[in-house]
Amino acid sequence: MAKPLVAFLTGAGISTDSGIPDYRGPQGLWTRNPDYEKLVTYDYYMADADIRRRSWQMRREVSELRPQPNAAHKAIVTLAESGKAAVRVVTQNVDGLHQAAGLDGRKVLELHGTTRFVVCTSCGARGPTNDVLARIDAGEADPPCTECGGILKTATVMFGEALDAGVLNGAAAIAKACTVMFAVGTSLQVYPAAGLAALAADAGARLVIVNATPTPYDDIADQVVREPIGEALPKLLRDLPAA
Ligand code: ZN
């Protein structure tokens, strides 16, 4: 018999224990400073060098927090390495902490892209974000592409940009095929995450929601867990029955 496929749909709540500031929570970046939303809106970003300068400064500040994977990220890696199940992660996060915890990047689909890499908006060249942050530290406010001089941005999906169709299709395929889906640290209110939970449940997967606050899918979930993610997820995964 094939191994069970355990899917994780993860959102900001899995990374708050790692010190990543959330955006829309009570202490969120945008709640405190609504103007910040412009820093990650494609049209503003492309049109205004000052917005780009501030956007890079925001990336630099988050990077200086040196976020590290926490117990929840590590528990997923432990499950993947145990061989008990095939593991796939679909994440709304752009922080790369699943991979930093040691999960094979091929098992992670990043719905909103990643801050670990930058991409040129003219020629498509990609490179590590750390290289650009080093240029900013050396005095460049808005470093251009070294290949063509074009505008660089993080490889994240900004407001006004479309999600990657290949990533979306991959996420839907995982939702349809999984045996169990853990929705972790996501309020399941935003497309496409919300649709993926419904897709998994409709296809017969067991749906387990681990989130501090209620979600619109709590009623159809097989289990709802409100305890802190860093404590709850390792325990849930340890108790997962072997195939
Ligand atoms: Zn370029």
Side-chain angles (χ1 to χ4, degrees):
M1 206 179 112
K3 276 192 220 174
L5 174 60
V6 179
F8 295 87
L9 178 59
T10 66
I14 197 173
S15 290
T16 46
D17 281 352
S18 295
I20 304 264
D22 71 351
Y23 294 101
R24 298 181 196 276
Q27 292 302 314
L29 224 44
W30 299 342
T31 314
R32 288 183 290 130
N33 194 343
D35 189 43
Y36 262 40
E37 197 158 333
K38 285 187 185 172
L39 307 186
V40 290
T41 299
Y42 189 79
D43 287 345
Y44 285 116
Y45 186 89
M46 293 303 288
D48 186 343
D50 190 54
I51 293 281
R52 294 197 290 279
R53 179 187 65 76
R54 291 172 56 204
S55 186
W56 287 120
Q57 287 301 329
M58 178 186 70
R59 300 297 180 202
R60 190 164 164 269
E61 280 163 27
V62 174
S63 152
E64 278 173 356
L65 299 172
R66 308 239 174 274
Q68 300 295 324
N70 63 55
H73 297 103
K74 289 174 189 166
I76 295 174
V77 179
T78 302
L79 176 66
E81 289 176 349
S82 75
K84 279 204 303 195
V87 167
R88 292 290 182 277
V89 172
V90 178
T91 187
Q92 298 172 280
N93 299 335
V94 294
D95 53 41
L97 289 179
H98 288 293
Q99 297 93 320
L103 194 63
D104 183 338
R106 288 170 298 187
K107 296 182 175 173
V108 183
L109 287 177
E110 296 171 308
L111 292 169
H112 299 152
T114 177
T115 59
R116 293 176 305 144
F117 295 96
V118 297
V119 61
C120 173
T121 56
S122 295
C123 76
R126 277 171 78 94
T129 299
N130 283 341
D131 290 359
V132 174
L133 295 182
R135 289 171 66 191
I136 287 162
D137 284 340
E140 288 181 76
D142 174 28
C145 173
T146 51
E147 302 289 321
C148 78
I151 293 173
L152 292 178
K153 65 182 280 295
T154 51
T156 48
V157 180
M158 288 186 168
F159 290 112
E161 286 189 289
L163 277 75
D164 184 282
V167 171
L168 273 180
N169 288 337
I174 290 166
K176 283 185 206 155
C178 66
T179 319
V180 50
M181 173 178 276
F182 289 91
V184 184
T186 167
S187 57
L188 297 177
Q189 286 175 5
V190 183
Y191 170 87
L196 292 169
L199 203 55
D202 285 350
R206 188 177 153 73
L207 179 62
V208 182
I209 294 176
V210 189
N211 197 51
T213 54
T215 83
Y217 292 90
D218 289 2
D219 287 348
I220 63 160
D222 295 281
Q223 191 177 357
V224 177
V225 179
R226 293 265 179 265
E227 280 104 75
I229 293 168
E231 292 160 33
L233 194 64
K235 185 172 182 313
L236 283 167
L237 299 187
R238 261 196 314 273
D239 294 347
L240 208 62

